[in-house]
Amino acid sequence: MQLILNNKPFPNPFNTDEEGLAGISPNLDIDLMLKGYSAGFFPWFEIDSAFYWYCPPVRMVFDLTTETEPFSKSLKRTLNKNKFQMSVNRHFDKVLFHCADIPRKSQNGTWLSPRFKKVFIDLHEIGRAHSLEVYVENKLVGGLFGVSVGKFFSGESMFHLQTDASKVAFAYMTRILRKLGYDYIDCQLYSPHLKSLGAVGVSREEYLKMLKNALKEEVMLDEWKKMPKYES
């Protein structure tokens, strides 16, 4: 396992353990985050003041280049009811803190430590991290956030306080990202929830090819400013 520093290249993405752990970094900042994502890595967990970086053998991704949405019939029915309203980048900090605070099955605590939160807020302030909020009667009931690099969007975390709210947040975000010209969402690690939403697993080799192509162009960050702040 290598020591990852800002002034050194990231490790070989194929030189990891079975889970994809490649190295640790003593610090985490905007530059290291963007550099890591661009090299195919993501940080996950802070232990003893060190950040653990991964490039797993199988990566979950959601393809945004296809015309057909792979959502279930039940989710499509929920979206058509217009029960929920959504906003973009209206309450990034609230989404971030909800994602950190919501208890999750089979998880003891959260990976979103205070230093992780600070870096994501810093990324948001420079237009690199974005949130989508879901409301019912003006009450925040779900949302998600992620980081933009090239033409891929790294989905970081989502939450719900009401049934289907996180699914609706994901569906709305996929539509926004398609409109803005993104190629795919990097969902990072497998979960049954992500699979049910249409994310699929690809090999590390295939993921790195997709990433290389997605980094050839940049989605203009000003395009996010044109998104409606609140709509049904």
Side-chain angles (χ1 to χ4, degrees):
M1 187 165 57
Q2 297 189 36
L3 182 64
I4 296 173
L5 301 172
N6 257 325
N7 61 349
K8 292 185 178 181
F10 263 76
N12 182 331
F14 293 94
N15 186 20
T16 69
D17 68 9
E18 293 181 357
E19 294 183 347
L21 177 61
I24 60 173
S25 65
N27 299 302
L28 193 69
D29 58 28
I30 290 174
D31 291 338
L32 191 62
M33 287 281 277
L34 296 178
K35 181 180 175 182
Y37 286 138
S38 297
F41 297 85
F42 60 86
W44 188 36
F45 290 116
E46 179 186 2
I47 302 175
D48 295 332
S49 299
F51 297 91
Y52 286 63
W53 288 84
Y54 288 80
C55 184
V58 177
R59 197 74 157 240
M60 289 295 285
V61 299
F62 187 94
D63 190 354
L64 297 168
T65 63
T66 60
E67 295 182 3
T68 304
E69 293 180 326
F71 302 138
S72 66
K73 292 181 179 179
S74 61
L75 178 53
K76 290 179 180 178
R77 285 195 295 268
T78 299
L79 294 170
N80 290 334
K81 289 179 181 178
N82 294 321
K83 175 183 178 180
F84 299 93
Q85 298 79 47
M86 70 94 177
S87 65
V88 177
N89 287 332
R90 189 183 187 197
H91 292 300
F92 182 89
D93 56 339
K94 290 184 179 180
V95 171
L96 174 64
F97 281 83
H98 271 301
C99 287
D101 294 341
I102 294 296
R104 302 176 192 272
K105 294 180 181 179
S106 71
Q107 286 190 18
N108 182 19
T110 178
W111 63 274
L112 286 166
S113 66
R115 289 206 290 174
F116 261 118
K117 292 176 186 175
K118 181 183 184 306
V119 173
F120 283 126
I121 290 173
D122 290 344
L123 285 165
H124 176 64
E125 289 178 350
I126 66 168
R128 286 288 188 176
H130 305 282
S131 64
L132 187 140
E133 302 86 30
V134 175
Y135 308 87
V136 172
E137 297 179 353
N138 294 317
K139 181 181 179 181
L140 183 65
V141 296
L144 61 82
F145 76 95
V147 178
S148 173
V149 180
K151 296 182 71 176
F152 83 85
F153 186 81
S154 179
E156 297 299 332
S157 188
M158 62 176 73
F159 80 95
H160 70 275
L161 302 176
Q162 187 167 317
T163 302
D164 291 334
S166 63
K167 293 181 180 180
V168 168
F170 187 85
Y172 274 137
M173 182 60 93
T174 63
R175 293 176 177 179
I176 289 171
L177 295 174
R178 286 178 194 271
K179 184 176 180 180
L180 293 175
Y182 285 84
D183 287 344
Y184 65 93
I185 302 174
D186 176 12
C187 300
Q188 300 179 348
L189 299 171
Y190 171 86
S191 76
H193 183 56
L194 289 170
K195 183 178 179 181
S196 72
L197 292 171
V200 298
V202 299
S203 69
R204 176 162 42 199
E205 183 177 11
E206 181 62 23
Y207 171 79
L208 292 171
K209 289 179 181 177
M210 295 167 66
L211 174 62
K212 183 178 180 180
N213 288 330
L215 291 176
K216 290 178 180 178
E217 293 183 56
E218 188 80 52
V219 173
M220 298 303 294
L221 300 183
D222 285 345
E223 293 297 315
W224 282 94
K225 298 178 181 178
K226 301 176 184 178
M227 299 303 302
K229 287 293 183 183
Y230 192 94
E231 67 176 25
S232 297

